[in-house]
Amino acid sequence: MQGTPEKIYAVEHIPGKGRGVVALTDITKGTRVMSEKPIITISQNITSIQQLRTCILDQVSSLSKYDRQEFFSMANVYGGINPLETWYGILRTNALPMGPNLDTGGIFLQACRINHACDGNAVHCWNENLNQLTIHAIRDIRKGEEITISYLATLRNRQARQDELLHNFGFLCACQLCCLPLGESKCNDAALDRIHAIDDIIEKRGIKGLVKPAQKMLSYVDEQVRIWKKTTIAEGGLTRAYPDAFQIAVANGDLARARVFAERCLRLYETSLGNDSPDVAEYGAFVVNPATHKYYGMSTKWATTVDEIPYSLDTQSFEDWLWRR
Ligand SMILES: C[S@@+](CC[C@H](N)C(=O)[O-])C[C@H]1O[C@@H](n2cnc3c(N)ncnc32)[C@H](O)[C@@H]1O
Protein backbone atom coordinates (compact mmCIF):
# COMPACT_ATOMS: atom_id res chain seq x y z
CA MET A 1 0.00 0.00 0.00
CA GLN A 2 1.30 3.47 -0.85
CA GLY A 3 1.75 5.92 2.05
CA THR A 4 0.39 9.47 2.03
CA PRO A 5 2.77 11.61 -0.05
CA GLU A 6 4.89 13.92 2.06
CA LYS A 7 3.55 17.49 2.08
CA ILE A 8 6.26 19.67 0.60
CA TYR A 9 4.70 23.08 1.17
CA ALA A 10 2.55 24.97 3.69
CA VAL A 11 0.42 28.11 3.49
CA GLU A 12 1.79 30.58 6.01
CA HIS A 13 1.70 34.25 6.91
CA ILE A 14 4.42 36.14 5.01
CA PRO A 15 5.34 39.56 6.39
CA GLY A 16 4.06 42.33 4.09
CA LYS A 17 2.35 39.93 1.67
CA GLY A 18 -0.59 38.38 3.57
CA ARG A 19 -0.46 34.62 3.21
CA GLY A 20 1.98 32.78 1.00
CA VAL A 21 3.35 29.33 0.29
CA VAL A 22 6.58 28.10 1.85
CA ALA A 23 8.66 24.99 1.09
CA LEU A 24 8.64 22.43 3.93
CA THR A 25 11.49 20.44 2.40
CA ASP A 26 14.20 21.07 -0.18
CA ILE A 27 12.44 20.91 -3.54
CA THR A 28 14.45 20.06 -6.64
CA LYS A 29 13.95 21.76 -9.99
CA GLY A 30 11.28 19.98 -12.01
CA THR A 31 9.28 18.76 -9.00
CA ARG A 32 5.52 19.10 -9.20
CA VAL A 33 4.71 21.17 -6.11
CA MET A 34 0.94 21.00 -6.48
CA SER A 35 -1.81 19.94 -8.84
CA GLU A 36 -5.25 21.29 -8.19
CA LYS A 37 -8.82 21.60 -9.48
CA PRO A 38 -10.56 24.97 -9.33
CA ILE A 39 -13.37 25.68 -6.87
CA ILE A 40 -14.72 28.49 -9.10
CA THR A 41 -14.18 29.22 -12.78
CA ILE A 42 -14.92 32.39 -14.68
CA SER A 43 -14.87 32.92 -18.42
CA GLN A 44 -14.05 36.12 -20.30
CA ASN A 45 -16.73 35.08 -22.80
CA ILE A 46 -19.42 36.26 -20.39
CA THR A 47 -21.01 39.16 -22.22
CA SER A 48 -23.51 40.69 -19.78
CA ILE A 49 -23.45 41.85 -16.17
CA GLN A 50 -26.46 39.62 -15.54
CA GLN A 51 -24.60 36.56 -16.83
CA LEU A 52 -21.58 37.44 -14.67
CA ARG A 53 -23.77 37.93 -11.62
CA THR A 54 -25.49 34.56 -12.10
CA CYS A 55 -22.20 32.78 -12.79
CA ILE A 56 -20.56 34.10 -9.60
CA LEU A 57 -23.67 33.71 -7.39
CA ASP A 58 -24.31 30.12 -8.49
CA GLN A 59 -20.76 29.03 -7.89
CA VAL A 60 -20.20 30.83 -4.58
CA SER A 61 -23.49 29.58 -3.14
CA SER A 62 -22.68 25.98 -3.99
CA LEU A 63 -19.26 26.06 -2.24
CA SER A 64 -18.82 23.93 0.87
CA LYS A 65 -18.55 25.83 4.16
CA TYR A 66 -14.76 25.37 4.24
CA ASP A 67 -14.22 26.41 0.63
CA ARG A 68 -16.45 29.46 1.08
CA GLN A 69 -14.49 30.56 4.16
CA GLU A 70 -11.23 30.15 2.28
CA PHE A 71 -12.59 32.05 -0.72
CA PHE A 72 -13.80 34.93 1.45
CA SER A 73 -10.40 35.13 3.14
CA MET A 74 -8.56 35.62 -0.16
CA ALA A 75 -6.94 38.91 -1.11
CA ASN A 76 -9.10 41.56 -2.80
CA VAL A 77 -7.45 44.69 -4.15
CA TYR A 78 -10.61 45.88 -5.90
CA GLY A 79 -12.89 46.20 -2.84
CA GLY A 80 -16.66 46.13 -3.42
CA ILE A 81 -19.69 47.79 -1.89
CA ASN A 82 -21.86 44.65 -1.84
CA PRO A 83 -21.14 40.90 -1.61
CA LEU A 84 -21.27 40.33 -5.37
CA GLU A 85 -18.80 43.12 -6.12
CA THR A 86 -16.55 41.88 -3.34
CA TRP A 87 -16.58 38.34 -4.73
CA TYR A 88 -15.79 39.70 -8.17
CA GLY A 89 -12.89 41.64 -6.63
CA ILE A 90 -11.57 38.40 -5.08
CA LEU A 91 -11.86 36.68 -8.46
CA ARG A 92 -9.98 39.45 -10.26
CA THR A 93 -7.20 39.48 -7.66
CA ASN A 94 -6.69 35.73 -7.49
CA ALA A 95 -7.86 33.91 -10.63
CA LEU A 96 -5.16 31.95 -12.44
CA PRO A 97 -5.48 31.19 -16.17
CA MET A 98 -6.92 27.83 -17.18
CA GLY A 99 -5.35 27.61 -20.62
CA PRO A 100 -3.02 29.53 -22.90
CA ASN A 101 -5.63 32.02 -24.16
CA LEU A 102 -6.25 33.58 -20.75
CA ASP A 103 -9.99 33.55 -21.48
CA THR A 104 -10.91 31.35 -18.52
CA GLY A 105 -9.62 31.78 -15.00
CA GLY A 106 -10.03 29.69 -11.87
CA ILE A 107 -9.84 30.03 -8.13
CA PHE A 108 -7.59 27.41 -6.55
CA LEU A 109 -7.47 27.07 -2.77
CA GLN A 110 -3.73 26.43 -2.56
CA ALA A 111 -2.23 27.85 -5.77
CA CYS A 112 -3.96 31.22 -5.33
CA ARG A 113 -2.01 31.66 -2.08
CA ILE A 114 1.26 31.77 -4.00
CA ASN A 115 2.75 35.25 -4.07
CA HIS A 116 4.48 36.88 -6.99
CA ALA A 117 8.16 37.32 -7.83
CA CYS A 118 9.20 38.62 -11.27
CA ASP A 119 11.82 35.87 -11.34
CA GLY A 120 9.63 33.24 -9.63
CA ASN A 121 11.08 29.91 -8.58
CA ALA A 122 7.98 28.07 -9.80
CA VAL A 123 5.55 28.24 -12.73
CA HIS A 124 1.85 27.60 -13.05
CA CYS A 125 0.19 25.92 -16.01
CA TRP A 126 -3.25 24.54 -16.82
CA ASN A 127 -2.87 20.86 -17.73
CA GLU A 128 -5.63 19.85 -20.19
CA ASN A 129 -4.89 16.16 -19.69
CA LEU A 130 -5.40 16.32 -15.94
CA ASN A 131 -7.94 19.14 -15.95
CA GLN A 132 -5.91 20.60 -13.14
CA LEU A 133 -3.58 23.52 -12.58
CA THR A 134 -0.02 22.41 -11.93
CA ILE A 135 2.81 24.23 -10.16
CA HIS A 136 6.38 23.11 -10.88
CA ALA A 137 9.67 24.25 -9.37
CA ILE A 138 11.91 25.76 -12.07
CA ARG A 139 14.83 26.19 -9.69
CA ASP A 140 15.97 24.20 -6.69
CA ILE A 141 14.01 25.63 -3.74
CA ARG A 142 15.44 25.39 -0.23
CA LYS A 143 13.42 24.29 2.82
CA GLY A 144 11.88 27.44 4.36
CA GLU A 145 12.09 29.45 1.12
CA GLU A 146 8.92 31.06 -0.20
CA ILE A 147 7.52 29.47 -3.36
CA THR A 148 6.73 32.19 -5.91
CA ILE A 149 5.30 32.43 -9.42
CA SER A 150 5.15 35.34 -11.85
CA TYR A 151 1.74 36.97 -12.28
CA LEU A 152 2.95 38.66 -15.46
CA ALA A 153 2.32 37.27 -18.94
CA THR A 154 5.63 38.76 -20.14
CA LEU A 155 8.67 39.94 -18.24
CA ARG A 156 9.15 43.58 -19.20
CA ASN A 157 11.49 46.20 -17.75
CA ARG A 158 11.36 47.07 -14.07
CA GLN A 159 9.13 50.16 -14.39
CA ALA A 160 6.62 48.37 -16.65
CA ARG A 161 6.48 45.41 -14.24
CA GLN A 162 6.02 47.59 -11.21
CA ASP A 163 3.26 49.62 -12.88
CA GLU A 164 1.37 46.49 -13.96
CA LEU A 165 1.65 44.82 -10.55
CA LEU A 166 0.57 47.94 -8.69
CA HIS A 167 -2.35 48.49 -11.04
CA ASN A 168 -3.63 44.89 -11.18
CA PHE A 169 -2.57 43.47 -7.81
CA GLY A 170 -2.11 46.51 -5.56
CA PHE A 171 1.47 45.97 -4.41
CA LEU A 172 4.90 47.37 -5.05
CA CYS A 173 7.14 44.49 -6.03
CA ALA A 174 10.30 44.12 -3.97
CA CYS A 175 11.50 40.84 -5.47
CA GLN A 176 15.18 40.12 -6.10
CA LEU A 177 14.95 41.31 -9.71
CA CYS A 178 13.17 44.55 -8.78
CA CYS A 179 15.72 45.24 -6.03
CA LEU A 180 18.86 44.88 -8.16
CA PRO A 181 21.34 47.74 -7.68
CA LEU A 182 20.66 50.57 -10.17
CA GLY A 183 23.45 49.73 -12.62
CA GLU A 184 22.53 46.03 -12.78
CA SER A 185 18.84 46.90 -12.99
CA LYS A 186 19.49 49.16 -16.01
CA CYS A 187 21.47 46.41 -17.74
CA ASN A 188 18.69 43.96 -17.04
CA ASP A 189 16.08 46.40 -18.37
CA ALA A 190 18.06 46.94 -21.56
CA ALA A 191 18.26 43.16 -22.08
CA LEU A 192 14.51 42.73 -21.51
CA ASP A 193 13.69 45.69 -23.80
CA ARG A 194 15.76 44.16 -26.60
CA ILE A 195 14.12 40.75 -26.14
CA HIS A 196 10.68 42.36 -26.41
CA ALA A 197 11.64 44.46 -29.41
CA ILE A 198 12.63 41.19 -31.15
CA ASP A 199 9.38 39.53 -30.03
CA ASP A 200 7.49 42.39 -31.69
CA ILE A 201 9.42 41.95 -34.95
CA ILE A 202 8.78 38.20 -34.97
CA GLU A 203 5.09 38.69 -34.20
CA LYS A 204 4.71 41.35 -36.89
CA ARG A 205 6.26 39.11 -39.58
CA GLY A 206 3.83 36.32 -38.62
CA ILE A 207 3.87 32.95 -40.34
CA LYS A 208 5.35 34.38 -43.57
CA GLY A 209 8.38 35.55 -41.56
CA LEU A 210 9.28 31.92 -40.82
CA VAL A 211 10.52 31.47 -44.36
CA LYS A 212 11.22 35.03 -45.48
CA PRO A 213 13.74 36.16 -44.33
CA ALA A 214 14.36 32.89 -42.47
CA GLN A 215 18.05 33.43 -41.68
CA LYS A 216 17.36 36.87 -40.22
CA MET A 217 14.54 35.48 -38.07
CA LEU A 218 16.69 32.62 -36.77
CA SER A 219 19.43 35.15 -35.91
CA TYR A 220 16.90 37.17 -33.92
CA VAL A 221 15.91 34.12 -31.89
CA ASP A 222 19.59 33.24 -31.44
CA GLU A 223 20.16 36.75 -30.07
CA GLN A 224 17.23 36.33 -27.66
CA VAL A 225 18.55 33.01 -26.37
CA ARG A 226 22.03 34.48 -25.86
CA ILE A 227 20.55 37.42 -23.92
CA TRP A 228 18.36 35.16 -21.76
CA LYS A 229 21.33 32.94 -20.96
CA LYS A 230 23.31 35.94 -19.72
CA THR A 231 20.57 36.83 -17.21
CA THR A 232 20.04 35.00 -13.93
CA ILE A 233 16.35 34.57 -14.71
CA ALA A 234 15.27 30.94 -14.33
CA GLU A 235 14.57 29.45 -17.77
CA GLY A 236 14.17 33.02 -19.03
CA GLY A 237 12.04 33.10 -22.13
CA LEU A 238 13.53 29.93 -23.53
CA THR A 239 10.11 28.26 -23.48
CA ARG A 240 9.13 30.84 -26.09
CA ALA A 241 12.41 31.16 -28.00
CA TYR A 242 13.04 27.44 -28.66
CA PRO A 243 9.54 26.81 -30.09
CA ASP A 244 10.09 29.85 -32.37
CA ALA A 245 13.43 28.40 -33.52
CA PHE A 246 11.79 24.99 -34.03
CA GLN A 247 9.11 26.52 -36.25
CA ILE A 248 11.66 28.41 -38.37
CA ALA A 249 13.72 25.24 -38.91
CA VAL A 250 10.72 23.05 -39.71
CA ALA A 251 9.09 25.62 -42.02
CA ASN A 252 12.30 25.63 -44.08
CA GLY A 253 12.52 21.86 -44.29
CA ASP A 254 15.52 21.66 -41.92
CA LEU A 255 14.60 18.51 -40.02
CA ALA A 256 18.03 18.13 -38.39
CA ARG A 257 17.89 21.49 -36.60
CA ALA A 258 14.15 21.10 -36.01
CA ARG A 259 14.79 17.89 -34.08
CA VAL A 260 17.44 19.57 -31.89
CA PHE A 261 15.14 22.51 -31.12
CA ALA A 262 12.24 20.13 -30.42
CA GLU A 263 14.48 18.23 -27.96
CA ARG A 264 15.28 21.49 -26.18
CA CYS A 265 11.58 22.42 -25.99
CA LEU A 266 10.79 18.96 -24.67
CA ARG A 267 13.38 19.20 -21.89
CA LEU A 268 12.06 22.60 -20.78
CA TYR A 269 8.44 21.44 -20.84
CA GLU A 270 9.22 18.25 -18.90
CA THR A 271 10.71 20.41 -16.13
CA SER A 272 8.10 23.13 -16.02
CA LEU A 273 4.93 21.26 -17.04
CA GLY A 274 5.50 17.60 -16.18
CA ASN A 275 5.54 14.44 -18.30
CA ASP A 276 1.74 14.24 -18.41
CA SER A 277 1.38 17.62 -20.10
CA PRO A 278 -0.04 17.84 -23.65
CA ASP A 279 2.95 20.01 -24.67
CA VAL A 280 5.36 17.25 -23.64
CA ALA A 281 3.41 14.75 -25.75
CA GLU A 282 3.34 17.20 -28.69
CA TYR A 283 7.07 17.96 -28.62
CA GLY A 284 7.90 14.31 -27.90
CA ALA A 285 6.19 13.51 -31.22
CA PHE A 286 8.10 16.32 -33.00
CA VAL A 287 11.41 14.91 -31.70
CA VAL A 288 10.55 11.55 -33.26
CA ASN A 289 9.39 13.11 -36.53
CA PRO A 290 9.61 16.90 -36.87
CA ALA A 291 8.01 16.65 -40.33
CA THR A 292 4.61 16.07 -38.68
CA HIS A 293 4.47 19.79 -37.81
CA LYS A 294 1.89 21.71 -39.86
CA TYR A 295 4.52 24.19 -41.15
CA TYR A 296 6.73 21.49 -42.64
CA GLY A 297 6.84 21.96 -46.40
CA MET A 298 6.34 25.73 -46.49
CA SER A 299 9.86 25.92 -47.98
CA THR A 300 12.57 23.39 -48.79
CA LYS A 301 15.34 26.02 -48.77
CA TRP A 302 17.24 24.45 -45.86
CA ALA A 303 16.21 20.83 -46.47
CA THR A 304 18.05 18.33 -44.25
CA THR A 305 17.18 14.95 -42.77
CA VAL A 306 17.19 14.12 -39.05
CA ASP A 307 20.29 11.96 -39.65
CA GLU A 308 22.35 15.03 -40.47
CA ILE A 309 22.70 16.27 -36.87
CA PRO A 310 26.49 16.69 -36.33
CA TYR A 311 26.66 15.17 -32.83
CA SER A 312 30.45 14.85 -33.04
CA LEU A 313 31.02 18.63 -33.01
CA ASP A 314 32.25 20.33 -29.82
CA THR A 315 29.68 22.44 -27.94
CA GLN A 316 30.57 25.79 -29.51
CA SER A 317 30.75 24.42 -33.06
CA PHE A 318 27.45 22.60 -32.50
CA GLU A 319 25.78 25.87 -31.43
CA ASP A 320 27.30 27.66 -34.48
CA TRP A 321 25.91 24.92 -36.73
CA LEU A 322 22.52 24.97 -34.97
CA TRP A 323 21.99 28.71 -35.38
CA ARG A 324 23.60 28.80 -38.85
CA ARG A 325 26.08 31.44 -37.59
C1 LIG B 1 -3.17 35.78 -5.54
S1 LIG B 1 -2.99 36.65 -4.04
C2 LIG B 1 -1.66 35.81 -3.30
C3 LIG B 1 -1.99 35.32 -1.91
C4 LIG B 1 -2.23 36.41 -0.90
N1 LIG B 1 -0.98 36.91 -0.37
C5 LIG B 1 -3.13 35.96 0.24
O1 LIG B 1 -2.89 36.36 1.37
O2 LIG B 1 -4.09 35.24 -0.03
C6 LIG B 1 -2.36 38.15 -4.67
C7 LIG B 1 -2.17 39.22 -3.63
O3 LIG B 1 -1.13 38.86 -2.73
C8 LIG B 1 -0.31 39.97 -2.44
N2 LIG B 1 1.01 39.75 -3.02
C9 LIG B 1 1.36 38.84 -3.95
N3 LIG B 1 2.65 38.89 -4.22
C10 LIG B 1 3.18 39.88 -3.49
C11 LIG B 1 4.47 40.43 -3.36
N4 LIG B 1 5.50 39.97 -4.04
N5 LIG B 1 4.63 41.46 -2.48
C12 LIG B 1 3.59 41.95 -1.77
N6 LIG B 1 2.33 41.47 -1.87
C13 LIG B 1 2.12 40.43 -2.71
C14 LIG B 1 -0.98 41.18 -3.08
O4 LIG B 1 -1.86 41.73 -2.15
C15 LIG B 1 -1.76 40.55 -4.22
O5 LIG B 1 -2.86 41.32 -4.60
Side-chain angles (χ1 to χ4, degrees):
M1 205 172 79
Q2 273 192 333
T4 315
E6 188 190 5
K7 189 129 192 260
I8 60 173
Y9 68 88
V11 175
E12 291 178 6
H13 175 75
I14 309 283
K17 301 184 186 173
R19 287 202 241 173
V21 175
V22 173
L24 289 179
T25 60
D26 287 342
I27 298 175
T28 49
K29 178 177 169 177
T31 302
R32 177 164 293 168
V33 178
M34 47 177 99
S35 177
E36 207 182 0
K37 285 191 189 304
I39 57 159
I40 294 179
T41 59
I42 187 111
S43 163
Q44 295 281 343
N45 300 331
I46 290 178
T47 49
S48 71
I49 297 283
Q50 189 49 44
Q51 242 184 321
L52 181 68
R53 194 180 297 230
T54 314
C55 170
I56 298 176
L57 256 179
D58 284 355
Q59 294 191 75
V60 173
S61 27
S62 51
L63 290 177
S64 68
K65 191 173 165 206
Y66 175 80
D67 288 358
R68 195 174 316 168
Q69 267 172 2
E70 283 295 300
F71 175 66
F72 291 165
S73 75
M74 285 183 171
N76 176 7
V77 296
Y78 298 97
I81 52 166
N82 57 47
L84 202 72
E85 270 190 23
T86 308
W87 301 343
Y88 188 47
I90 298 176
L91 281 165
R92 289 176 69 196
T93 311
N94 292 274
L96 287 167
M98 292 169 56
N101 306 327
L102 311 181
D103 53 4
T104 305
I107 294 294
F108 302 85
L109 289 182
Q110 307 290 306
C112 289
R113 296 296 186 183
I114 304 179
N115 289 315
H116 164 92
C118 296
D119 182 13
N121 52 23
V123 289
H124 60 91
C125 182
W126 178 251
N127 183 317
E128 283 288 345
N129 286 344
L130 302 174
N131 260 324
Q132 297 197 7
L133 182 95
T134 59
I135 304 286
H136 286 86
I138 53 167
R139 292 181 191 278
D140 290 339
I141 303 173
R142 288 184 317 277
K143 178 180 175 178
E145 198 181 328
E146 187 179 1
I147 297 171
T148 54
I149 56 175
S150 173
Y151 294 175
L152 305 168
T154 46
L155 194 65
R156 299 199 169 269
N157 64 46
R158 183 177 177 278
Q159 192 59 54
R161 299 196 305 271
Q162 298 248 314
D163 291 348
E164 188 176 339
L165 291 165
L166 194 59
H167 184 259
N168 292 340
F169 298 97
F171 70 92
L172 199 63
C173 189
C175 74
Q176 239 178 329
L177 206 59
C178 287
C179 291
L180 285 175
L182 194 64
E184 262 183 76
S185 184
K186 280 189 171 166
C187 274
N188 201 60
D189 283 353
L192 292 172
D193 286 344
R194 177 64 187 153
I195 284 167
H196 289 293
I198 295 177
D199 271 343
D200 288 345
I201 297 171
I202 294 175
E203 205 175 309
K204 230 181 248 162
R205 297 269 165 113
I207 295 173
K208 276 192 203 149
L210 295 173
V211 289
K212 208 174 171 191
Q215 183 54 58
K216 185 89 190 136
M217 294 317 233
L218 192 64
S219 305
Y220 279 138
V221 184
D222 181 15
E223 186 184 340
Q224 283 186 317
V225 171
R226 290 202 225 194
I227 300 174
W228 278 123
K229 285 188 169 172
K230 270 195 215 149
T231 72
T232 55
I233 299 163
E235 311 231 319
L238 298 181
T239 44
R240 181 162 177 177
Y242 282 135
D244 281 348
F246 168 73
Q247 286 192 0
I248 295 169
V250 93
N252 289 283
D254 188 347
L255 296 179
R257 288 176 181 80
R259 173 175 277 178
V260 176
F261 288 127
E263 280 167 347
R264 292 187 181 188
C265 295
L266 181 64
R267 255 177 271 139
L268 283 173
Y269 289 150
E270 281 170 343
T271 306
S272 57
L273 310 178
N275 287 334
D276 50 14
S277 131
D279 300 271
V280 167
E282 187 182 24
Y283 275 88
F286 292 147
V287 169
V288 176
N289 184 5
T292 54
H293 191 274
K294 61 182 174 189
Y295 295 154
Y296 179 64
M298 279 175 73
S299 157
T300 51
K301 196 165 49 184
W302 292 350
T304 60
T305 68
V306 287
D307 302 324
E308 292 176 55
I309 303 172
Y311 285 117
S312 58
L313 291 179
D314 63 67
T315 309
Q316 189 52 55
S317 310
F318 190 85
E319 290 305 302
D320 290 344
W321 165 82
L322 183 63
W323 297 99
R324 302 175 63 96
R325 289 172 190 151

Short mmCIF file of all heavy atoms in Angstrom, two decimals, residues 181-202:
data_model
loop_
_atom_site.label_atom_id
_atom_site.label_comp_id
_atom_site.label_asym_id
_atom_site.label_seq_id
_atom_site.Cartn_x
_atom_site.Cartn_y
_atom_site.Cartn_z
N PRO A 181 20.73 46.41 -7.72
CA PRO A 181 21.34 47.74 -7.68
C PRO A 181 21.12 48.45 -9.03
O PRO A 181 21.00 47.78 -10.07
CB PRO A 181 22.83 47.44 -7.47
CG PRO A 181 22.89 46.04 -7.00
CD PRO A 181 21.67 45.33 -7.47
N LEU A 182 21.06 49.79 -8.99
CA LEU A 182 20.66 50.57 -10.17
C LEU A 182 21.36 50.17 -11.47
O LEU A 182 20.70 49.94 -12.48
CB LEU A 182 20.88 52.06 -9.88
CG LEU A 182 20.20 52.99 -10.87
CD1 LEU A 182 18.68 52.85 -10.81
CD2 LEU A 182 20.60 54.44 -10.57
N GLY A 183 22.69 50.04 -11.41
CA GLY A 183 23.45 49.73 -12.62
C GLY A 183 23.01 48.39 -13.21
O GLY A 183 22.74 48.27 -14.41
N GLU A 184 22.93 47.38 -12.33
CA GLU A 184 22.53 46.03 -12.78
C GLU A 184 21.10 46.04 -13.30
O GLU A 184 20.76 45.38 -14.28
CB GLU A 184 22.60 45.07 -11.59
CG GLU A 184 23.85 44.26 -11.53
CD GLU A 184 23.80 43.30 -10.36
OE1 GLU A 184 23.11 42.28 -10.44
OE2 GLU A 184 24.44 43.61 -9.33
N SER A 185 20.25 46.84 -12.60
CA SER A 185 18.84 46.90 -12.99
C SER A 185 18.71 47.50 -14.39
O SER A 185 17.92 47.03 -15.22
CB SER A 185 18.08 47.73 -11.96
OG SER A 185 16.73 47.73 -12.25
N LYS A 186 19.54 48.53 -14.67
CA LYS A 186 19.49 49.16 -16.01
C LYS A 186 19.93 48.19 -17.09
O LYS A 186 19.34 48.13 -18.16
CB LYS A 186 20.39 50.41 -16.02
CG LYS A 186 19.70 51.61 -15.40
CD LYS A 186 20.49 52.87 -15.63
CE LYS A 186 19.67 54.08 -15.19
NZ LYS A 186 20.47 55.28 -15.06
N CYS A 187 20.99 47.42 -16.79
CA CYS A 187 21.47 46.41 -17.74
C CYS A 187 20.38 45.38 -18.02
O CYS A 187 20.13 44.99 -19.16
CB CYS A 187 22.66 45.66 -17.16
SG CYS A 187 24.20 46.45 -17.45
N ASN A 188 19.75 44.95 -16.93
CA ASN A 188 18.69 43.96 -17.04
C ASN A 188 17.52 44.50 -17.87
O ASN A 188 16.98 43.81 -18.74
CB ASN A 188 18.22 43.64 -15.61
CG ASN A 188 17.53 42.32 -15.54
OD1 ASN A 188 18.12 41.30 -15.85
ND2 ASN A 188 16.26 42.34 -15.18
N ASP A 189 17.17 45.77 -17.62
CA ASP A 189 16.08 46.40 -18.37
C ASP A 189 16.41 46.47 -19.85
O ASP A 189 15.56 46.22 -20.70
CB ASP A 189 15.81 47.82 -17.85
CG ASP A 189 15.04 47.82 -16.54
OD1 ASP A 189 14.61 46.72 -16.12
OD2 ASP A 189 14.88 48.90 -15.94
N ALA A 190 17.66 46.82 -20.15
CA ALA A 190 18.06 46.94 -21.56
C ALA A 190 17.94 45.57 -22.24
O ALA A 190 17.46 45.47 -23.38
CB ALA A 190 19.50 47.46 -21.66
N ALA A 191 18.35 44.52 -21.52
CA ALA A 191 18.26 43.16 -22.08
C ALA A 191 16.79 42.80 -22.34
O ALA A 191 16.44 42.30 -23.42
CB ALA A 191 18.89 42.16 -21.12
N LEU A 192 15.93 43.08 -21.36
CA LEU A 192 14.51 42.73 -21.51
C LEU A 192 13.85 43.55 -22.62
O LEU A 192 13.04 43.05 -23.39
CB LEU A 192 13.76 42.93 -20.18
CG LEU A 192 14.16 41.96 -19.08
CD1 LEU A 192 13.53 42.35 -17.75
CD2 LEU A 192 13.76 40.53 -19.44
N ASP A 193 14.25 44.84 -22.73
CA ASP A 193 13.69 45.69 -23.80
C ASP A 193 14.06 45.13 -25.17
O ASP A 193 13.24 45.11 -26.09
CB ASP A 193 14.20 47.13 -23.67
CG ASP A 193 13.52 47.87 -22.51
OD1 ASP A 193 12.49 47.38 -22.02
OD2 ASP A 193 14.05 48.92 -22.10
N ARG A 194 15.31 44.70 -25.31
CA ARG A 194 15.76 44.16 -26.60
C ARG A 194 15.00 42.86 -26.93
O ARG A 194 14.55 42.67 -28.06
CB ARG A 194 17.29 43.91 -26.55
CG ARG A 194 17.86 43.28 -27.80
CD ARG A 194 17.73 44.17 -29.02
NE ARG A 194 18.15 43.49 -30.25
CZ ARG A 194 17.70 43.79 -31.47
NH1 ARG A 194 16.83 44.77 -31.64
NH2 ARG A 194 18.12 43.14 -32.52
N ILE A 195 14.85 42.01 -25.92
CA ILE A 195 14.12 40.75 -26.14
C ILE A 195 12.69 41.05 -26.63
O ILE A 195 12.19 40.42 -27.56
CB ILE A 195 14.10 39.91 -24.84
CG1 ILE A 195 15.46 39.26 -24.64
CG2 ILE A 195 12.98 38.87 -24.86
CD1 ILE A 195 15.69 38.67 -23.27
N HIS A 196 12.07 42.06 -26.03
CA HIS A 196 10.68 42.36 -26.41
C HIS A 196 10.60 43.06 -27.76
O HIS A 196 9.62 42.85 -28.50
CB HIS A 196 9.95 43.11 -25.30
CG HIS A 196 9.69 42.18 -24.16
ND1 HIS A 196 8.82 41.11 -24.27
CD2 HIS A 196 10.26 42.07 -22.94
CE1 HIS A 196 8.85 40.42 -23.15
NE2 HIS A 196 9.72 40.98 -22.33
N ALA A 197 11.63 43.84 -28.09
CA ALA A 197 11.64 44.46 -29.41
C ALA A 197 11.71 43.34 -30.48
O ALA A 197 11.02 43.39 -31.50
CB ALA A 197 12.84 45.39 -29.54
N ILE A 198 12.53 42.31 -30.20
CA ILE A 198 12.63 41.19 -31.15
C ILE A 198 11.30 40.42 -31.21
O ILE A 198 10.84 40.05 -32.29
CB ILE A 198 13.80 40.25 -30.77
CG1 ILE A 198 15.13 40.99 -30.91
CG2 ILE A 198 13.79 38.99 -31.62
CD1 ILE A 198 16.35 40.18 -30.49
N ASP A 199 10.69 40.21 -30.05
CA ASP A 199 9.38 39.53 -30.03
C ASP A 199 8.39 40.26 -30.94
O ASP A 199 7.64 39.63 -31.69
CB ASP A 199 8.79 39.53 -28.61
CG ASP A 199 9.23 38.31 -27.82
OD1 ASP A 199 9.69 37.34 -28.46
OD2 ASP A 199 9.10 38.32 -26.59
N ASP A 200 8.41 41.59 -30.87
CA ASP A 200 7.49 42.39 -31.69
C ASP A 200 7.76 42.18 -33.17
O ASP A 200 6.85 42.05 -33.97
CB ASP A 200 7.60 43.89 -31.35
CG ASP A 200 6.99 44.19 -29.99
OD1 ASP A 200 6.24 43.33 -29.47
OD2 ASP A 200 7.26 45.27 -29.43
N ILE A 201 9.07 42.15 -33.53
CA ILE A 201 9.42 41.95 -34.95
C ILE A 201 8.91 40.58 -35.40
O ILE A 201 8.27 40.45 -36.45
CB ILE A 201 10.97 42.01 -35.15
CG1 ILE A 201 11.50 43.40 -34.78
CG2 ILE A 201 11.34 41.64 -36.58
CD1 ILE A 201 13.03 43.48 -34.74
N ILE A 202 9.18 39.55 -34.59
CA ILE A 202 8.78 38.20 -34.97
C ILE A 202 7.26 38.12 -35.11
O ILE A 202 6.74 37.55 -36.07
CB ILE A 202 9.30 37.16 -33.93
CG1 ILE A 202 10.83 37.12 -33.96
CG2 ILE A 202 8.71 35.78 -34.17
CD1 ILE A 202 11.49 36.23 -32.91
#
